[in-house]
Amino acid sequence: MADLARDGDVELAMVAAGDGEILGHILYSDLGVVVDGRPVRAVALAPVSVRPDRQGQGIGAGLIRASLDLLRERGGEAVVVLGHAAYYPRFGFSAALAAKLQGPFAGDAFMALELVPGALAGHVGSVHYARAFGL
Ligand SMILES: CC(C)(COP(=O)(O)OP(=O)(O)OC[C@H]1O[C@@H](n2cnc3c(N)ncnc32)[C@H](O)[C@@H]1OP(=O)(O)O)[C@@H](O)C(=O)NCCC(=O)NCCS
């Protein structure tokens, strides 16, 4: 995360707090996405984490939903995540939508979400992660 910040590649970071303590955190970094030659304003979701003793109480879902709303308000078009295939679809992420995006990842855990309907419409695309990921 420090390397992402050093490079100026953090698009959004949020924390969930309660009882004066940080309970969870989410971060989005800039992501280069092109679909059928068209640049898409996209970000990568990673990481999201909730304090182990507070997991399973909706804190992660709250962070994800609030941050997606903020990204949409800021004009973001799409989000990509590499994560638990059983968790992210409830927020609208889809592996089928990400399948056209060529990059370092593929498969059920590689998912995408359109913040603007049709943002990822097209035939072929590519993703380029921020330099700090070393991919
Ligand atoms: C994943 C994580 C951020 C979810 O936050 P949370 O506040 O615990 O989640 P919520 O309370 O909003 O939602 C709970 C749901 O998440 C699911 N979940 C949690 N960890 C999961 C995992 N590893 N795989 C699949 N589902 C998972 C639970 O099964 C539960 O599902 P249910 O609603 O169908 O019962 C949190 O568990 C965490 O920090 N895990 C460790 C770090 C991590 O794996 N980060 C994600 C990297 S992609």
Side-chain angles (χ1 to χ4, degrees):
M1 283 189 273
D3 288 352
L4 284 170
R6 177 202 62 205
D7 295 341
D9 287 330
V10 175
E11 176 63 30
L12 176 67
M14 290 176 70
V15 296
D19 303 326
E21 296 184 337
I22 291 177
L23 305 178
H25 172 258
I26 192 166
L27 185 143
Y28 295 84
S29 58
D30 295 326
L31 185 71
V33 173
V34 176
V35 177
D36 289 351
R38 183 183 80 250
V40 179
R41 289 196 59 180
V43 290
L45 191 181
V48 55
S49 58
V50 172
R51 218 172 70 182
D53 63 319
R54 298 297 298 270
Q55 290 176 6
Q57 300 174 10
I59 294 170
L63 272 171
I64 292 169
R65 292 206 170 94
S67 55
L68 291 177
D69 286 347
L70 199 51
L71 288 166
R72 195 178 289 110
E73 284 170 22
R74 290 181 174 188
E77 295 182 302
V79 182
V80 166
V81 68
L82 181 74
H84 309 303
Y87 186 58
Y88 291 95
R90 69 188 66 185
F91 307 106
F93 286 91
S94 153
L97 193 57
K100 70 165 74 86
L101 302 175
Q102 303 298 310
F105 308 114
D108 287 351
F110 183 57
M111 294 168 270
L113 167 76
E114 291 177 337
L115 295 169
V116 175
L120 295 172
H123 295 97
V124 289
S126 60
V127 295
H128 291 97
Y129 282 80
R131 186 176 63 154
F133 287 101
L135 296 166

